[in-house]
Amino acid sequence: MHTVLVVDDETDILELVVFNLERQQFKVLTADNGISAVQIAKEKIPDLIVLDLMLPGMDGFSVYRELRADPRTNSIPVLMLTAKGEVNDRIAGLELGADDYVTKPFSPRELLLRVRALLKRTRKVTADASLKSGDFLLERNTLKLFLAGRPVDLTATEFKLLRLLVEASGEVQERDALLREVWGYSDTMLTRTLDTHVKRLREKLGKHAECIQTVRGVGYRFVSSPTPA
Amino acid sequence: MHTVLVVDDETDILELVVFNLERQQFKVLTADNGISAVQIAKEKIPDLIVLDLMLPGMDGFSVYRELRADPRTNSIPVLMLTAKGEVNDRIAGLELGADDYVTKPFSPRELLLRVRALLKRTRKVTADASLKSGDFLLERNTLKLFLAGRPVDLTATEFKLLRLLVEASGEVQERDALLREVWGYSDTMLTRTLDTHVKRLREKLGKHAECIQTVRGVGYRFVSSPTPA
DNA sequence: GTGCGTGGTGACGAATTTGTGACAGACGGT
DNA sequence: ACCGTCTGTCACAAATTCGTCACCACGCAC
């Protein structure tokens, strides 16, 4: 199940819909009027935003720029939608960084297909904007950690470290890379510094300590749901 | 730098080009005639395939299906390209699973932009092409081996060894070569070290142990589907 | 069957790599 | 200056990995 924010002028409302990838159907979840689309996006963090460029009294492009400016929304794929079919406009949209661009008139089916394609493509990247497993919640965007609802204080270094690990969730991050990215280029760091910080992170992660797996001889890896062996 | 395979009829050739994401330029690498596009794709494993549907004497859709049918190419994003501008055709393309669809006439710049967008989106996914064959899935980044879905932890050396074998799937790798590439140049390794590691690998491979065949007097060979012969 | 050469196996100790607790300096706020 | 926190470092413990060896098993030629 995916959440898609549709910023449209057809109905003159902003719709937060759930898109069922299998059944290929939209379903309106909430409909708020008078609230900025950008506002909603930042709160709801949808998986995809369908942005109509022909908004009344509003420049679609500037909405887009706002979305890209905020860390919470800047990685959400955007499908632009417009009546303008001119090549120039299509280029402008794509050049800005839109992930796709559909021009009216289009069949609902085509839009659906493009949405599906986009969701499929970006699922892994955006699906877990915030990682959750049980009482463990790591907000990727704000980079705050919650355990059982309670926020956990992370120091700056721990933050950087955890962030690198989480952003490459599932992949092994080499010790060298971590040292370089967290502490800057330093060959001075020949010691157990990294290990110590990993230890401290694990302490704060409590029973979720296993989420940070050590890969001997290589580095560390973050996994949301630790698989035994 | 990305490799893009362009299957086009404009020039009547198949072009393997390198796409410079920063400078936004294509550059023809090789141009072979008379060779199946699918063939090239399977050999070169490009990062992206631009597929013209209006190939002479050839159905673009069937090329597409062939690409999707092979494990080596089935994860490569495909951008379809055609003169057919009808909605139905666009739907057909997207429905098949194409990652994008551009209709002629289009400005070269727009194509470039779409290519860039696609590469950007799929970079991370395809960059770490994981080796797959049968039940095997060897993820380079993760340093993990999946057997029928279940993760198997490999040590650094085991991984190097298996990787070499799998990458040359089907071919015999000589003992010397393996020793050299895994352990560096070493004539010191006159012992049973390689054998031991092969043994350990086979243990971890479980019932797939037979996939690593020993070729007496020469070396080892990896085969995805061991033939009893 | 016997003998030779090559590969397989289990065990073991050394080497390498990580985890841990403690500690002292640095930094910032009061 | 005082105090608490954050950080890097160290010495040492614990955990794995790795190479080696002795020994066994198998295939092949005779």
Side-chain angles (χ1 to χ4, degrees):
Chain A
M1 212 63 111
H2 300 269
T3 313
V4 179
L5 175 64
V6 181
V7 186
D8 194 357
D9 69 332
E10 296 269 325
T11 52
D12 217 6
I13 57 171
L14 302 171
E15 300 170 333
L16 187 62
V17 306
V18 167
F19 180 68
N20 187 319
L21 199 67
E22 286 66 42
R23 301 180 55 202
Q24 299 189 22
Q25 286 182 338
F26 287 108
K27 179 183 147 200
V28 176
L29 238 199
T30 68
D32 278 317
N33 202 351
I35 300 183
S36 151
V38 180
Q39 209 69 26
I40 293 190
K42 287 179 182 174
E43 281 177 29
K44 304 295 186 179
I45 316 281
D47 300 308
L48 173 69
I49 296 175
V50 177
L51 178 63
D52 193 324
L53 289 185
M54 299 301 281
L55 295 172
M58 197 178 201
D59 181 10
F61 284 119
S62 66
V63 168
Y64 180 80
R65 282 194 212 90
E66 274 192 73
L67 289 173
R68 288 303 184 227
D70 192 287
R72 280 167 294 182
T73 55
N74 70 358
S75 61
I76 301 175
V78 171
L79 191 161
M80 285 194 184
L81 196 64
T82 186
K84 298 179 184 177
E86 316 305 323
V87 170
N88 279 344
D89 285 305
R90 294 163 71 181
I91 289 182
L94 285 170
E95 203 156 45
L96 256 171
D99 295 273
D100 206 343
Y101 200 102
V102 174
T103 59
K104 301 176 186 175
F106 56 85
S107 80
R109 196 167 169 217
E110 185 189 351
L111 177 60
L112 223 44
L113 283 168
R114 284 197 183 266
V115 166
R116 190 178 61 166
L118 258 182
L119 285 177
K120 200 181 84 184
R121 255 198 314 259
T122 54
R123 187 165 30 187
K124 288 188 177 172
V125 183
T126 59
D128 42 4
S130 54
L131 282 170
K132 198 165 63 176
S133 88
D135 53 356
F136 173 80
L137 178 77
L138 183 72
E139 291 192 356
R140 267 191 180 166
N141 303 316
T142 62
L143 273 176
K144 277 185 180 169
L145 175 66
F146 295 88
L147 284 182
R150 296 187 201 296
V152 175
D153 280 331
L154 295 180
T155 71
T157 330
E158 286 161 0
F159 207 68
K160 277 195 234 171
L161 184 55
L162 183 57
R163 175 195 167 118
L164 284 176
L165 289 172
V166 171
E167 281 182 349
S169 198
E171 292 178 23
V172 177
Q173 294 293 90
E174 300 182 12
R175 294 179 70 94
D176 290 346
L178 291 172
L179 280 170
R180 200 178 340 109
E181 297 190 50
V182 175
W183 286 273
Y185 303 91
S186 70
D187 359 303
T188 332
M189 294 292 185
L190 301 173
T191 48
R192 315 242 51 72
T193 300
L194 175 56
D195 306 66
T196 302
H197 278 274
V198 167
K199 187 196 81 176
R200 287 169 182 158
L201 255 182
R202 281 174 174 157
E203 281 172 4
K204 293 196 177 177
L205 286 183
K207 60 184 173 188
H208 297 277
E210 305 159 351
C211 288
I212 301 181
Q213 301 181 336
T214 125
V215 180
R216 215 151 224 278
V218 188
Y220 294 92
R221 163 179 49 203
F222 181 93
V223 289
S224 46
S225 48
T227 48
Chain B
M1 210 65 113
H2 299 268
T3 312
V4 180
L5 176 65
V6 181
V7 186
D8 195 357
D9 69 332
E10 296 269 324
T11 52
D12 218 6
I13 57 171
L14 302 171
E15 300 170 333
L16 187 60
V17 305
V18 166
F19 179 68
N20 187 318
L21 199 67
E22 288 68 40
R23 302 181 53 203
Q24 299 188 22
Q25 287 180 340
F26 286 108
K27 180 182 145 201
V28 176
L29 240 198
T30 68
D32 277 319
N33 202 350
I35 300 182
S36 150
V38 180
Q39 211 69 27
I40 293 190
K42 287 178 182 174
E43 281 177 27
K44 305 295 185 179
I45 315 283
D47 301 308
L48 174 69
I49 296 175
V50 177
L51 179 62
D52 194 323
L53 288 185
M54 299 302 281
L55 295 174
M58 196 178 201
D59 180 11
F61 283 119
S62 66
V63 169
Y64 180 81
R65 282 193 211 91
E66 274 192 71
L67 288 172
R68 288 305 185 227
D70 193 287
R72 280 168 294 182
T73 55
N74 70 358
S75 60
I76 301 174
V78 171
L79 190 159
M80 285 193 183
L81 195 65
T82 186
K84 298 181 183 176
E86 317 304 325
V87 169
N88 279 342
D89 286 305
R90 294 163 71 182
I91 290 183
L94 287 169
E95 204 156 43
L96 254 171
D99 295 273
D100 207 344
Y101 199 102
V102 174
T103 58
K104 299 176 186 177
F106 56 84
S107 80
R109 198 166 170 217
E110 185 189 348
L111 176 59
L112 223 44
L113 284 168
R114 282 196 185 267
V115 166
R116 190 177 60 165
L118 257 183
L119 284 177
K120 200 181 85 184
R121 254 197 316 259
T122 54
R123 188 165 30 187
K124 288 190 177 176
V125 181
T126 57
D128 51 358
S130 38
L131 296 168
K132 195 168 74 172
S133 80
D135 276 353
F136 280 98
L137 182 71
L138 193 58
E139 293 191 353
R140 283 187 208 173
N141 287 342
T142 315
L143 268 192
K144 258 196 172 176
L145 169 71
F146 290 87
L147 278 183
R150 298 198 193 298
V152 177
D153 276 329
L154 297 180
T155 71
T157 19
E158 284 162 1
F159 190 84
K160 274 196 236 169
L161 182 55
L162 182 57
R163 178 196 164 121
L164 284 176
L165 289 172
V166 172
E167 279 179 350
S169 198
E171 298 171 24
V172 178
Q173 294 291 90
E174 300 182 13
R175 294 178 70 94
D176 290 346
L178 290 172
L179 280 170
R180 201 178 339 109
E181 297 191 52
V182 175
W183 286 271
Y185 304 92
S186 71
D187 359 300
T188 332
M189 295 289 185
L190 301 173
T191 49
R192 315 240 52 71
T193 300
L194 175 57
D195 306 67
T196 301
H197 279 274
V198 168
K199 184 199 81 177
R200 287 170 183 158
L201 256 182
R202 282 174 174 156
E203 279 173 6
K204 294 196 178 177
L205 287 186
K207 60 185 173 189
H208 296 273
E210 306 157 352
C211 290
I212 300 182
Q213 301 179 337
T214 121
V215 181
R216 271 186 91 87
V218 188
Y220 294 92
R221 166 178 46 200
F222 179 93
V223 288
S224 47
S225 47
T227 47

